[in-house]
Coordinates of all heavy atoms in Angstrom, one line a residue:
K1 N 161.3 64.1 144.1 CA 160.1 64.2 144.8 C 159.0 63.4 144.0 O 158.2 62.7 144.6 CB 159.7 65.6 144.9 CG 158.4 65.7 145.8 CD 158.1 67.2 146.2 CE 156.8 67.2 146.9 NZ 156.6 68.4 147.6
I2 N 158.9 63.6 142.6 CA 157.9 62.9 141.9 C 158.1 61.3 141.9 O 157.2 60.6 141.9 CB 157.8 63.4 140.4 CG1 156.6 62.8 139.8 CG2 159.0 63.0 139.7 CD1 156.0 63.6 138.7
L3 N 159.4 60.9 142.0 CA 159.7 59.5 142.2 C 159.0 58.9 143.4 O 158.4 57.9 143.4 CB 161.2 59.3 142.2 CG 161.7 57.8 142.5 CD1 161.3 56.9 141.2 CD2 163.1 57.8 142.8
K4 N 159.2 59.6 144.5 CA 158.6 59.2 145.8 C 157.0 59.2 145.7 O 156.5 58.2 146.2 CB 159.1 60.2 146.9 CG 158.5 59.9 148.2 CD 159.1 60.7 149.3 CE 158.6 60.2 150.6 NZ 159.1 61.2 151.8
I5 N 156.5 60.2 145.1 CA 155.1 60.2 144.9 C 154.5 58.9 144.1 O 153.6 58.4 144.4 CB 154.5 61.5 144.2 CG1 154.7 62.6 145.1 CG2 153.1 61.4 143.7 CD1 154.7 64.1 144.5
M6 N 155.3 58.6 143.0 CA 154.8 57.5 142.2 C 155.1 56.2 142.9 O 154.2 55.3 142.8 CB 155.6 57.5 140.8 CG 155.2 58.6 140.0 SD 153.5 58.9 139.8 CE 153.0 57.4 138.9
I7 N 156.2 56.0 143.7 CA 156.4 54.8 144.5 C 155.2 54.7 145.4 O 154.6 53.5 145.6 CB 157.7 54.8 145.1 CG1 158.8 54.7 144.1 CG2 157.8 53.7 146.2 CD1 160.2 54.9 144.6
N8 N 154.9 55.7 146.2 CA 153.8 55.7 147.1 C 152.4 55.3 146.5 O 151.6 54.7 147.1 CB 153.7 57.0 147.9 CG 154.8 57.1 148.9 OD1 155.2 56.1 149.5 ND2 155.3 58.2 149.1
N9 N 152.2 55.7 145.2 CA 150.9 55.5 144.5 C 150.8 54.0 144.3 O 149.7 53.4 144.3 CB 150.8 56.2 143.2 CG 150.4 57.7 143.3 OD1 149.9 58.1 144.4 ND2 150.8 58.5 142.4
F10 N 152.0 53.3 144.0 CA 151.9 51.9 143.6 C 152.1 50.9 144.8 O 151.5 49.8 144.9 CB 152.8 51.6 142.5 CG 152.5 52.0 141.2 CD1 152.9 53.2 140.7 CD2 151.5 51.3 140.5 CE1 152.6 53.6 139.4 CE2 151.2 51.8 139.2 CZ 151.6 53.0 138.6
F11 N 152.9 51.4 145.7 CA 153.3 50.6 146.9 C 153.2 51.4 148.1 O 154.1 52.2 148.5 CB 154.8 50.2 146.7 CG 155.0 49.4 145.4 CD1 155.7 50.0 144.3 CD2 154.7 48.0 145.3 CE1 155.9 49.3 143.2 CE2 155.0 47.3 144.2 CZ 155.6 48.0 143.1
K12 N 152.2 51.3 148.8 CA 152.0 52.1 150.1 C 152.9 51.7 151.2 O 153.4 52.6 152.0 CB 150.5 51.9 150.6 CG 149.4 52.2 149.6 CD 149.4 53.7 149.4 CE 148.2 54.1 148.5 NZ 148.6 55.3 147.8
D13 N 153.4 50.4 151.3 CA 154.3 50.0 152.3 C 155.7 50.0 151.7 O 156.1 49.0 151.3 CB 153.8 48.7 152.8 CG 154.5 48.2 154.2 OD1 155.3 49.0 154.6 OD2 154.2 47.0 154.6
N14 N 156.4 51.1 151.9 CA 157.7 51.3 151.3 C 158.5 52.2 152.3 O 158.0 52.9 153.0 CB 157.6 51.8 149.9 CG 157.3 53.3 149.9 OD1 158.1 54.1 150.2 ND2 156.0 53.6 149.5
I15 N 159.9 52.1 152.0 CA 160.8 53.0 152.6 C 161.8 53.2 151.6 O 162.4 52.5 151.0 CB 161.5 52.4 153.9 CG1 160.4 51.9 155.0 CG2 162.4 53.3 154.6 CD1 161.0 51.2 156.1
I16 N 162.1 54.6 151.5 CA 163.1 55.0 150.5 C 164.2 55.7 151.2 O 164.1 56.5 152.1 CB 162.5 56.1 149.5 CG1 161.3 55.6 148.8 CG2 163.5 56.6 148.5 CD1 160.4 56.6 148.1
Y17 N 165.4 55.1 150.9 CA 166.7 55.6 151.5 C 167.6 56.2 150.4 O 167.6 55.8 149.2 CB 167.4 54.5 152.1 CG 166.8 53.7 153.3 CD1 166.1 52.5 153.0 CD2 166.8 54.2 154.5 CE1 165.4 51.9 154.0 CE2 166.2 53.5 155.7 CZ 165.5 52.3 155.3 OH 164.9 51.7 156.4
R18 N 168.4 57.1 150.8 CA 169.5 57.7 150.0 C 170.8 57.0 150.5 O 171.1 57.2 151.7 CB 169.5 59.2 150.0 CG 170.4 59.9 149.2 CD 169.8 59.9 147.7 NE 170.4 60.7 146.7 CZ 170.3 61.9 146.5 NH1 169.3 62.6 147.2 NH2 170.9 62.5 145.7
N19 N 171.6 56.5 149.7 CA 172.9 55.8 150.0 C 173.8 56.9 150.3 O 174.2 57.8 149.4 CB 173.3 54.9 148.9 CG 174.6 54.2 149.3 OD1 175.3 54.6 150.3 ND2 175.0 53.1 148.6
L20 N 174.3 57.1 151.6 CA 175.3 58.1 152.0 C 176.6 57.9 151.3 O 177.3 58.9 151.2 CB 175.3 58.2 153.6 CG 174.0 58.5 154.2 CD1 174.2 58.6 155.7 CD2 173.6 59.9 153.7
D21 N 176.9 56.7 151.0 CA 178.3 56.5 150.4 C 178.3 56.7 148.9 O 179.4 56.8 148.2 CB 178.7 55.0 150.6 CG 178.9 54.8 152.1 OD1 179.4 55.7 152.8 OD2 178.7 53.7 152.5
N22 N 177.1 56.8 148.3 CA 176.9 56.9 146.9 C 175.7 57.9 146.6 O 174.6 57.4 146.6 CB 176.8 55.7 146.0 CG 176.6 55.9 144.6 OD1 176.6 57.0 144.0 ND2 176.6 54.8 143.8
E23 N 175.9 59.2 146.4 CA 174.8 60.0 146.4 C 173.8 59.9 145.1 O 172.7 60.4 145.2 CB 175.4 61.6 146.4 CG 176.1 61.9 145.2 CD 176.8 63.3 145.3 OE1 177.1 63.7 146.3 OE2 176.9 63.9 144.2
N24 N 174.2 59.1 144.2 CA 173.4 58.8 143.0 C 172.7 57.5 143.1 O 172.2 56.9 142.1 CB 174.3 58.8 141.7 CG 174.7 60.3 141.5 OD1 174.1 61.2 141.8 ND2 175.8 60.4 140.8
E25 N 172.6 56.9 144.4 CA 172.0 55.6 144.6 C 170.8 55.8 145.5 O 171.0 56.3 146.6 CB 173.0 54.6 145.1 CG 172.3 53.2 145.2 CD 173.4 52.2 145.8 OE1 173.8 52.2 146.9 OE2 173.7 51.4 144.9
I26 N 169.7 55.3 145.1 CA 168.6 55.3 145.9 C 168.2 53.9 146.2 O 168.2 53.0 145.4 CB 167.3 55.9 145.2 CG1 167.7 57.5 145.0 CG2 166.1 55.8 146.1 CD1 166.7 58.1 144.0
I27 N 167.9 53.6 147.5 CA 167.6 52.2 147.9 C 166.2 52.2 148.4 O 165.6 53.0 149.1 CB 168.5 51.8 149.2 CG1 170.0 51.9 148.7 CG2 168.2 50.4 149.6 CD1 171.0 51.8 149.9
L28 N 165.4 51.2 147.8 CA 164.0 51.2 148.0 C 163.7 49.8 148.6 O 164.0 48.7 148.1 CB 163.3 51.2 146.5 CG 161.9 50.9 146.6 CD1 161.1 52.0 147.4 CD2 161.4 50.9 145.1
Y29 N 163.0 49.9 149.8 CA 162.5 48.7 150.4 C 161.0 48.6 150.1 O 160.3 49.6 150.5 CB 162.9 48.7 151.9 CG 161.9 47.7 152.7 CD1 162.1 46.3 152.5 CD2 160.9 48.1 153.4 CE1 161.3 45.4 153.1 CE2 160.1 47.2 154.1 CZ 160.3 45.8 153.8 OH 159.5 44.9 154.5
L30 N 160.5 47.5 149.6 CA 159.1 47.3 149.4 C 158.7 46.0 150.2 O 159.2 45.0 150.0 CB 158.8 47.0 148.0 CG 159.2 48.2 147.0 CD1 159.0 47.8 145.5 CD2 158.3 49.5 147.2
N31 N 157.7 46.4 151.0 CA 157.2 45.2 151.8 C 156.0 44.5 151.0 O 154.9 44.4 151.3 CB 156.5 45.7 153.2 CG 156.2 44.5 154.0 OD1 156.7 43.4 153.9 ND2 155.4 44.8 155.0
Y32 N 156.5 43.9 149.8 CA 155.6 43.3 149.0 C 156.4 42.1 148.4 O 157.6 41.9 148.3 CB 155.2 44.2 147.8 CG 154.4 45.3 148.2 CD1 154.9 46.5 148.6 CD2 153.0 45.2 148.2 CE1 154.1 47.5 149.1 CE2 152.2 46.2 148.6 CZ 152.8 47.5 149.1 OH 151.9 48.5 149.5
K33 N 155.6 41.1 147.8 CA 156.1 39.9 147.2 C 156.8 40.3 145.8 O 156.2 41.2 145.2 CB 155.0 39.0 146.9 CG 155.3 37.6 146.5 CD 154.3 36.6 146.5 CE 153.2 37.1 145.6 NZ 152.1 36.1 145.4
R34 N 157.9 39.7 145.5 CA 158.6 40.0 144.4 C 158.0 39.1 143.3 O 158.4 37.9 143.1 CB 160.1 39.8 144.5 CG 160.9 40.1 143.3 CD 162.4 39.8 143.5 NE 163.1 40.3 142.4 CZ 163.6 39.6 141.4 NH1 163.4 38.4 141.4 NH2 164.3 40.2 140.5
D35 N 157.0 39.6 142.6 CA 156.3 38.9 141.5 C 156.4 39.7 140.3 O 156.9 40.8 140.3 CB 154.9 38.5 141.9 CG 154.0 39.7 142.1 OD1 154.3 40.8 141.7 OD2 153.0 39.6 142.8
K36 N 156.0 39.0 139.1 CA 156.0 39.7 137.8 C 155.4 41.1 137.7 O 155.9 42.0 137.2 CB 155.4 38.8 136.8 CG 156.2 37.7 136.4 CD 155.6 37.0 135.1 CE 156.5 36.0 134.6 NZ 156.0 35.2 133.3
Q37 N 154.2 41.2 138.4 CA 153.4 42.5 138.3 C 154.2 43.5 139.1 O 154.4 44.7 138.5 CB 152.0 42.2 138.8 CG 151.3 43.4 138.8 CD 149.8 43.3 139.3 OE1 149.6 42.5 140.1 NE2 148.9 44.3 138.9
N38 N 154.7 43.2 140.2 CA 155.4 44.3 141.1 C 156.8 44.6 140.4 O 157.2 45.8 140.5 CB 155.6 43.8 142.5 CG 154.3 43.8 143.3 OD1 153.4 44.6 143.0 ND2 154.2 43.0 144.3
I39 N 157.4 43.7 139.9 CA 158.7 43.9 139.3 C 158.4 44.9 137.9 O 159.2 45.8 137.7 CB 159.4 42.6 138.7 CG1 159.9 41.8 139.9 CG2 160.6 42.9 137.8 CD1 160.4 40.3 139.6
Y40 N 157.5 44.6 137.3 CA 157.0 45.5 136.1 C 156.7 46.9 136.6 O 157.2 47.8 135.9 CB 155.8 44.9 135.4 CG 155.5 45.6 134.1 CD1 156.2 45.6 132.9 CD2 154.3 46.4 134.1 CE1 155.9 46.4 131.8 CE2 153.9 47.1 133.0 CZ 154.7 47.0 131.9 OH 154.3 47.9 130.8
R41 N 156.0 47.1 137.7 CA 155.7 48.3 138.1 C 156.9 49.1 138.5 O 157.1 50.3 138.2 CB 154.7 48.2 139.3 CG 153.4 47.8 139.1 CD 152.6 47.7 140.4 NE 151.2 47.4 140.1 CZ 150.3 46.9 141.0 NH1 150.7 46.8 142.2 NH2 149.1 46.7 140.7
V42 N 157.9 48.5 139.2 CA 159.1 49.1 139.5 C 160.0 49.4 138.3 O 160.5 50.5 138.2 CB 160.0 48.2 140.5 CG1 161.4 48.8 140.6 CG2 159.4 48.1 141.9
K43 N 160.0 48.6 137.3 CA 160.7 48.9 136.1 C 160.2 50.1 135.4 O 160.9 51.0 135.0 CB 160.5 47.7 135.2 CG 161.2 47.9 133.9 CD 161.0 46.7 132.9 CE 161.6 46.9 131.6 NZ 161.3 46.0 130.5
I44 N 158.8 50.2 135.3 CA 158.2 51.5 134.8 C 158.5 52.7 135.5 O 158.9 53.7 134.9 CB 156.6 51.3 134.6 CG1 156.3 50.1 133.5 CG2 156.0 52.6 134.1 CD1 156.9 50.2 132.2
I45 N 158.4 52.6 136.9 CA 158.7 53.8 137.7 C 160.1 54.2 137.5 O 160.4 55.4 137.3 CB 158.4 53.4 139.2 CG1 156.9 53.3 139.4 CG2 159.0 54.5 140.1 CD1 156.5 52.7 140.7
K46 N 161.1 53.2 137.4 CA 162.5 53.6 137.2 C 162.7 54.3 135.8 O 163.4 55.3 135.8 CB 163.3 52.2 137.3 CG 163.7 51.8 138.6 CD 164.3 50.4 138.6 CE 165.7 50.5 137.9 NZ 166.5 49.2 138.1
E47 N 162.2 53.7 134.8 CA 162.3 54.2 133.5 C 161.7 55.5 133.3 O 162.3 56.5 132.5 CB 161.7 53.2 132.4 CG 162.5 51.9 132.3 CD 161.8 51.0 131.3 OE1 160.8 51.3 130.8 OE2 162.4 49.9 131.2
V48 N 160.7 55.9 133.9 CA 160.0 57.1 133.6 C 160.3 58.2 134.7 O 160.5 59.3 134.3 CB 158.4 56.9 133.7 CG1 157.6 58.3 133.5 CG2 158.0 56.0 132.5
F49 N 160.5 57.8 136.0 CA 160.6 58.9 137.0 C 162.0 58.9 137.7 O 162.3 59.9 138.4 CB 159.6 58.7 138.0 CG 158.1 58.7 137.5 CD1 157.5 57.6 137.2 CD2 157.6 60.0 137.1 CE1 156.1 57.7 136.7 CE2 156.4 60.1 136.5 CZ 155.7 59.0 136.4
L50 N 162.9 57.9 137.5 CA 164.2 58.0 138.1 C 165.0 59.0 137.4 O 165.2 59.0 136.3 CB 164.8 56.7 138.1 CG 166.2 56.5 138.9 CD1 166.0 56.6 140.4 CD2 166.7 55.1 138.5
P51 N 165.5 60.0 138.2 CA 166.4 61.1 137.6 C 167.6 60.4 136.9 O 168.1 59.4 137.2 CB 166.8 61.9 138.8 CG 166.0 61.6 139.9 CD 165.4 60.2 139.6
L52 N 168.0 61.1 135.7 CA 169.2 60.6 135.0 C 170.4 60.6 135.9 O 170.6 61.4 136.7 CB 169.4 61.6 133.8 CG 168.4 61.5 132.8 CD1 168.8 62.6 131.6 CD2 168.4 60.1 132.0
G53 N 171.2 59.6 135.7 CA 172.4 59.4 136.5 C 172.2 58.7 137.9 O 173.2 58.4 138.5
F54 N 170.9 58.4 138.2 CA 170.6 57.7 139.4 C 170.6 56.3 139.2 O 170.1 55.8 138.2 CB 169.5 58.3 140.1 CG 169.7 59.5 140.8 CD1 170.0 60.7 140.2 CD2 169.8 59.5 142.2 CE1 170.2 62.0 140.9 CE2 170.1 60.7 142.9 CZ 170.2 61.9 142.3
E55 N 170.7 55.5 140.4 CA 170.4 54.0 140.4 C 169.5 53.7 141.4 O 169.6 54.3 142.5 CB 172.0 53.4 140.6 CG 171.8 51.9 140.6 CD 173.1 51.2 141.0 OE1 174.1 52.0 140.9 OE2 173.2 50.0 141.2
L56 N 168.7 52.7 141.2 CA 167.7 52.3 142.2 C 167.9 50.9 142.4 O 167.8 50.0 141.6 CB 166.2 52.5 141.6 CG 165.1 52.1 142.6 CD1 165.0 53.1 143.7 CD2 163.7 52.1 141.8
K57 N 168.1 50.6 143.7 CA 168.4 49.1 144.2 C 167.0 49.0 145.0 O 166.6 49.6 145.8 CB 169.5 49.0 145.1 CG 170.8 49.0 144.3 CD 172.0 48.6 145.2 CE 173.2 48.6 144.4 NZ 174.4 48.1 145.2
T58 N 166.4 47.8 144.6 CA 165.1 47.4 145.3 C 165.3 46.1 146.1 O 165.8 45.2 145.7 CB 164.0 47.2 144.1 OG1 164.0 48.3 143.3 CG2 162.6 46.9 144.8
Y59 N 164.7 46.2 147.3 CA 164.7 45.1 148.2 C 163.3 44.7 148.5 O 162.4 45.7 148.8 CB 165.5 45.4 149.5 CG 167.0 45.5 149.2 CD1 167.5 46.7 148.8 CD2 167.8 44.4 149.4 CE1 168.9 46.8 148.5 CE2 169.1 44.5 149.1 CZ 169.6 45.7 148.7 OH 171.0 45.9 148.5
W60 N 162.9 43.4 148.4 CA 161.5 42.9 148.6 C 161.3 42.3 149.9 O 162.2 41.5 150.3 CB 161.2 42.1 147.4 CG 161.3 42.6 146.1 CD1 162.6 42.6 145.3 CD2 160.4 43.4 145.4 NE1 162.4 43.3 144.1 CE2 161.0 43.8 144.1 CE3 159.0 43.7 145.6 CZ2 160.4 44.5 143.1 CZ3 158.4 44.4 144.5 CH2 159.1 44.7 143.4
S61 N 160.2 42.3 150.5 CA 159.6 41.5 151.5 C 160.4 41.6 152.8 O 159.9 42.0 153.9 CB 159.5 40.0 151.2 OG 158.7 39.8 150.0
H62 N 161.7 41.3 152.8 CA 162.4 41.4 154.1 C 163.4 42.5 154.0 O 164.1 42.7 153.2 CB 163.4 40.1 154.2 CG 162.6 38.8 154.4 ND1 161.7 38.6 155.5 CD2 162.3 37.8 153.5 CE1 161.1 37.4 155.2 NE2 161.5 36.9 154.0
H63 N 163.2 43.4 155.0 CA 164.0 44.6 155.2 C 165.5 44.2 155.5 O 165.7 43.2 156.2 CB 163.5 45.5 156.3 CG 164.0 46.9 156.2 ND1 165.2 47.2 156.6 CD2 163.4 48.1 155.7 CE1 165.4 48.6 156.4 NE2 164.3 49.0 155.8
F64 N 166.4 45.0 155.1 CA 167.8 44.8 155.4 C 168.1 45.4 156.7 O 167.4 46.3 157.2 CB 168.8 45.4 154.3 CG 168.4 46.8 153.9 CD1 168.9 47.9 154.6 CD2 167.6 47.0 152.8 CE1 168.5 49.1 154.2 CE2 167.3 48.3 152.5 CZ 167.7 49.3 153.1
G65 N 169.1 44.9 157.4 CA 169.4 45.4 158.8 C 170.2 46.6 158.7 O 171.0 46.9 157.8
I66 N 169.8 47.5 159.6 CA 170.6 48.8 159.8 C 171.0 48.9 161.3 O 170.2 48.7 162.2 CB 169.7 50.1 159.5 CG1 169.2 50.0 158.0 CG2 170.5 51.3 159.8 CD1 168.3 51.1 157.7
I67 N 172.4 48.9 161.5 CA 172.8 48.8 162.8 C 172.5 50.0 163.6 O 172.3 51.2 163.1 CB 174.5 48.8 162.7 CG1 174.9 47.6 162.0 CG2 175.1 48.9 164.1 CD1 176.4 47.5 161.8
N68 N 172.1 49.7 164.9 CA 171.5 50.7 165.8 C 170.1 51.1 165.5 O 169.7 52.1 166.0 CB 172.4 51.9 166.0 CG 173.8 51.6 166.6 OD1 173.8 50.7 167.4 ND2 174.8 52.2 166.2
L69 N 169.4 50.5 164.6 CA 167.9 50.8 164.4 C 167.2 49.5 164.6 O 167.0 48.7 163.7 CB 167.8 51.3 162.9 CG 166.5 51.8 162.5 CD1 166.0 53.0 163.5 CD2 166.4 52.3 161.1
D70 N 166.7 49.4 165.8 CA 166.1 48.1 166.3 C 164.9 47.6 165.5 O 164.6 46.5 165.4 CB 165.7 48.2 167.8 CG 166.9 48.2 168.7 OD1 168.1 47.9 168.2 OD2 166.8 48.7 169.8
E71 N 164.1 48.7 165.0 CA 162.9 48.3 164.2 C 163.2 47.5 163.0 O 162.4 46.6 162.6 CB 162.2 49.6 163.7 CG 161.7 50.4 164.8 CD 162.8 51.4 165.4 OE1 163.7 51.7 164.7 OE2 162.5 51.8 166.5
V72 N 164.4 47.6 162.4 CA 164.7 46.8 161.1 C 165.9 45.8 161.4 O 166.1 45.0 160.4 CB 165.1 47.7 160.0 CG1 163.8 48.6 159.6 CG2 166.2 48.6 160.3
F73 N 166.6 45.8 162.6 CA 167.7 44.9 162.8 C 167.2 43.7 163.5 O 167.6 43.5 164.8 CB 168.8 45.7 163.5 CG 170.2 45.0 163.3 CD1 170.8 45.1 162.2 CD2 170.8 44.3 164.4 CE1 172.0 44.6 162.0 CE2 171.9 43.7 164.2 CZ 172.5 43.8 163.1
K74 N 166.5 42.9 162.8 CA 166.0 41.6 163.5 C 166.6 40.5 162.6 O 166.2 40.3 161.5 CB 164.5 41.6 163.5 CG 164.0 42.7 164.4 CD 162.5 42.6 164.4 CE 162.0 43.6 165.4 NZ 160.9 44.4 164.8
I75 N 167.4 39.7 163.1 CA 168.2 38.7 162.3 C 167.3 37.8 161.6 O 167.6 37.6 160.4 CB 169.1 37.9 163.3 CG1 170.2 38.7 164.0 CG2 169.8 36.8 162.5 CD1 171.1 39.4 163.2
E76 N 166.3 37.3 162.1 CA 165.4 36.3 161.4 C 164.4 37.0 160.4 O 163.9 36.4 159.6 CB 164.6 35.5 162.3 CG 163.4 36.4 163.1 CD 163.9 37.1 164.3 OE1 165.1 37.0 164.7 OE2 163.1 37.9 164.9
K77 N 164.4 38.3 160.3 CA 163.6 39.0 159.4 C 164.3 40.0 158.5 O 163.7 41.1 158.0 CB 162.5 39.6 160.2 CG 161.6 38.7 160.9 CD 160.4 39.5 161.6 CE 159.5 38.5 162.3 NZ 158.4 39.2 162.8
M78 N 165.5 39.7 158.2 CA 166.1 40.8 157.4 C 166.9 40.2 156.2 O 167.3 39.0 156.3 CB 167.1 41.6 158.2 CG 168.3 41.0 158.7 SD 169.4 42.2 159.5 CE 170.7 41.1 159.9
G79 N 167.2 41.0 155.2 CA 167.9 40.5 154.0 C 169.4 41.0 154.2 O 169.6 41.8 155.1
V80 N 170.3 40.6 153.4 CA 171.7 41.0 153.5 C 171.9 42.1 152.4 O 171.5 41.9 151.3 CB 172.7 39.8 153.2 CG1 174.0 40.2 153.2 CG2 172.4 38.7 154.2
F81 N 172.6 43.2 152.8 CA 172.8 44.3 152.0 C 174.2 44.4 151.7 O 175.1 44.2 152.6 CB 172.2 45.6 152.6 CG 172.6 46.8 151.8 CD1 172.2 47.0 150.6 CD2 173.3 47.9 152.4 CE1 172.5 48.2 149.8 CE2 173.7 48.9 151.7 CZ 173.2 49.2 150.4

């Protein structure tokens, strides 16, 4: 819960997912440019607030497609996962 609060403090436009195939993996989508400052922010958040044993995968700018979820499944606007 504190991880989510900290992500929301730094990045208002985000979506956090839990990987159903790997319960220790959190997938983070940030609708922000991948630049030095934002990468540094994510690094600090991971080091301080990510629970031990968990992995955080971050996707920037373009959301990955999720089958049967039309809001994010737009070929020209998604990344490959």
Side-chain angles (χ1 to χ4, degrees):
K1 184 172 178 170
I2 191 154
L3 176 67
K4 183 176 182 177
I5 291 168
M6 293 312 297
I7 290 169
N8 285 325
N9 282 339
F10 286 99
F11 303 101
K12 299 294 183 207
D13 194 359
N14 74 76
I15 303 174
I16 302 170
Y17 297 96
R18 189 76 173 268
N19 186 342
L20 297 178
D21 293 329
N22 179 354
E23 64 184 35
N24 293 332
E25 181 178 72
I26 297 170
I27 301 167
L28 174 61
Y29 163 69
L30 298 173
N31 190 22
Y32 293 88
K33 187 170 59 171
R34 186 178 189 262
D35 61 21
K36 280 185 173 186
Q37 183 179 21
N38 287 336
I39 291 169
Y40 182 73
R41 287 177 177 168
V42 170
K43 180 182 176 195
I44 296 299
I45 290 170
K46 280 173 63 172
E47 289 177 1
V48 177
F49 300 104
L50 186 66
L52 290 176
F54 277 76
E55 181 182 349
L56 181 70
K57 287 191 178 179
T58 306
Y59 292 85
W60 303 89
S61 299
H62 299 291
H63 197 282
F64 47 87
I66 300 175
I67 297 172
N68 293 327
L69 189 56
D70 293 339
E71 295 84 21
V72 297
F73 200 74
K74 296 180 178 131
I75 299 297
E76 68 279 357
K77 295 185 177 182
M78 71 176 182
V80 178
F81 175 61

